[in-house]
Amino acid sequence: MKEEKYWSPYVSGVGLGLTLLLAFVLVGRGLGASGAMMRLDVWFMNLIAPAHTAANTYLSRYAESPLSNWLIFEVVGVIIGGFLSGALAGRLKAKIGKGQRISNRGRLILAFTGGAVMGFGARLARGCTSGLALTGGATLAVGGWVFMFAVFAGAYATAYFVRRQWI
Amino acid sequence: MAPFYKFGFFGEQTSFILALLIGISFGFWLERAGFGNSRKLALQFYFQDMTVLKVMFTAIVTAMIGLMYLTLFGWIDISKVFINPTFLYAQAVGGIVLGIGFAIGGYCPGTAVVGASTGRIDAYLFILGALFGMVVFGETFPLFENFFYAGEMGQVRLTDIINLSTGLIGLLIILMAVGMFLGGEWLEKKFRKEPAV
């Protein structure tokens, strides 16, 4: 099956916005992603080092049944929804997103590195692009707007140094 | 009245089922927009593909207008909707750090999940990296604890700190978004080097 084109950003944006609005109306909270990753971390650390996890002032706040949580269910939904959309558009394919001037290995190393930096930043900021910028942006939370512009600033300032990866 | 969960229309278990359904819709729309594709996301930072900006601000404006209407008619109690608490310094610095990670890694947490669900190998590495970075944060937390809590302002909204009516602030945000859409289209015309995907 040939890959379909992506839908208009404005159509997709309205779809996302209505999804977010539905979350506010039904459960009184927005969307998220990084919180679920933190909970997966703490779940795993609970298995291998429960005493250590309980003694850490940050990790311990997630330590009680970390996976029985709204965000975990939501992210499982994201996996299903992303898969369905990809399947319908013929986009299910093992591949690596990158420009032509970087090797697969180089890209994968940078993907891990960028993920690590982002994971740290998301915890420091108490949220990521979905949980803080999108959700906080729509509810007019001051921190959400500060965060959103900071994200764009950080990314644009870094783009030049990693240009061989993308362009 | 909404939010229904907060007014006891259903319990936690039902809210988990709704979380799954809302997540499916979230993932679907992210993938439709092309957010499973790291390169498409990253080209935003070279002005070649402004999809991130367009989708993000369309979504914010849509949900914001919806909330404002529902509040106006008294159908939703905004005081029962979660407002992200503001911790100015941690969120400004955390945002910059996250932005650096975005340019290097090409994903953010939600889009990486979508990328992984459609078979993107770099998305899996990104998620492993994010899981690692969060453990590092947890383990080094005592070093940042004071900074983490500095500049606390509570659940403060733009309507609390800007002396204008809610409707006017909403209008200004809409105008800003439209300006960004026009600017984004113009930048793409100027900088795009290959046909849009």
Side-chain angles (χ1 to χ4, degrees):
Chain A
M1 186 175 161
K2 199 178 173 301
E3 277 191 28
E4 282 176 27
K5 274 194 136 190
Y6 297 122
W7 281 3
S8 152
Y10 303 111
V11 173
S12 311
V14 170
L16 271 184
L18 292 177
T19 306
L20 178 57
L21 184 60
L22 199 63
F24 289 140
V25 169
L26 292 177
V27 288
R29 59 179 295 165
L31 304 169
S34 63
M37 293 181 176
M38 190 68 223
R39 288 177 174 278
L40 192 62
D41 269 337
V42 173
W43 170 78
F44 183 70
M45 293 182 76
N46 259 342
L47 289 183
I48 56 167
H52 173 79
T53 312
N56 181 298
T57 46
Y58 187 75
L59 299 173
S60 60
R61 52 165 85 183
Y62 295 97
E64 200 184 320
S65 53
L67 296 189
S68 173
N69 177 268
W70 200 86
L71 265 185
I72 293 285
F73 284 84
E74 187 236 52
V75 169
V76 171
V78 172
I79 298 171
I80 299 170
F83 179 82
L84 285 176
S85 169
L88 290 171
R91 283 195 284 265
L92 298 183
K93 200 168 157 193
K95 63 170 158 188
I96 299 173
K98 64 180 194 64
Q100 287 164 3
R101 295 195 289 161
I102 186 169
S103 66
N104 284 342
R105 185 158 169 263
R107 165 64 190 130
L108 293 181
I109 290 170
L110 285 181
F112 183 90
T113 309
V117 173
M118 177 165 297
F120 189 94
R123 295 285 40 99
L124 181 58
R126 295 174 173 79
C128 59
T129 349
S130 5
L132 186 50
L134 189 61
T135 301
T139 55
L140 305 182
V142 173
W145 284 86
V146 169
F147 173 77
M148 185 172 8
F149 286 108
V151 169
F152 277 104
Y156 274 101
T158 312
Y160 176 80
F161 303 101
V162 290
R163 64 191 183 284
R164 287 177 61 87
Q165 180 178 211
W166 304 116
I167 58 173
Chain B
M1 190 158 105
F4 298 129
Y5 176 52
K6 297 289 168 75
F7 281 98
F9 283 69
F10 47 81
E12 193 180 42
Q13 280 199 343
T14 308
S15 87
F16 285 173
I17 297 168
L18 291 172
L20 188 75
L21 296 174
I22 288 167
I24 290 174
S25 177
F26 185 30
F28 178 88
W29 287 111
L30 285 176
E31 208 287 330
R32 285 285 120 172
F35 283 7
N37 178 344
S38 54
R39 181 156 186 267
K40 186 174 174 68
L41 292 163
L43 286 181
Q44 163 78 39
F45 307 121
Y46 304 91
F47 302 112
Q48 292 190 22
D49 188 322
M50 304 299 282
T51 303
V52 172
L53 185 90
K54 293 185 222 168
V55 171
M56 186 107 198
F57 275 89
T58 306
I60 286 176
V61 164
T62 303
M64 177 194 77
I65 295 174
L67 273 184
M68 284 183 178
Y69 267 88
L70 295 176
T71 306
L72 197 63
F73 295 123
W75 290 342
I76 193 166
D77 181 354
I78 193 78
S79 71
K80 288 197 161 44
V81 173
F82 173 76
I83 310 288
N84 302 72
T86 295
F87 292 81
L88 212 51
Y89 305 117
Q91 278 159 343
V93 174
I96 291 171
V97 173
L98 190 140
I100 294 170
F102 203 160
I104 298 173
Y107 281 114
C108 53
T111 55
V113 171
V114 170
S117 77
T118 56
R120 298 280 178 158
I121 299 158
D122 48 335
Y124 285 93
L125 268 292
F126 181 93
I127 291 172
L128 286 177
L131 290 169
F132 173 72
M134 289 184 192
V135 172
V136 171
F137 180 82
E139 293 297 333
T140 55
F141 182 67
L143 299 174
F144 305 100
E145 194 161 1
N146 288 334
F147 186 72
F148 187 69
Y149 292 109
E152 178 174 9
M153 294 167 70
Q155 298 197 322
V156 63
R157 306 172 69 209
L158 294 178
T159 41
D160 300 320
I161 58 163
I162 302 173
N163 198 14
L164 295 171
S165 72
T166 305
L168 195 55
I169 291 176
L171 180 66
L172 289 174
I173 289 175
I174 293 169
L175 290 176
M176 181 179 75
V178 171
M180 286 187 166
F181 298 153
L182 295 172
E185 300 289 346
W186 180 80
L187 285 166
E188 280 180 353
K189 270 204 191 82
K190 201 165 146 64
F191 290 101
R192 200 195 282 281
K193 296 201 175 76
E194 54 204 85
V197 287

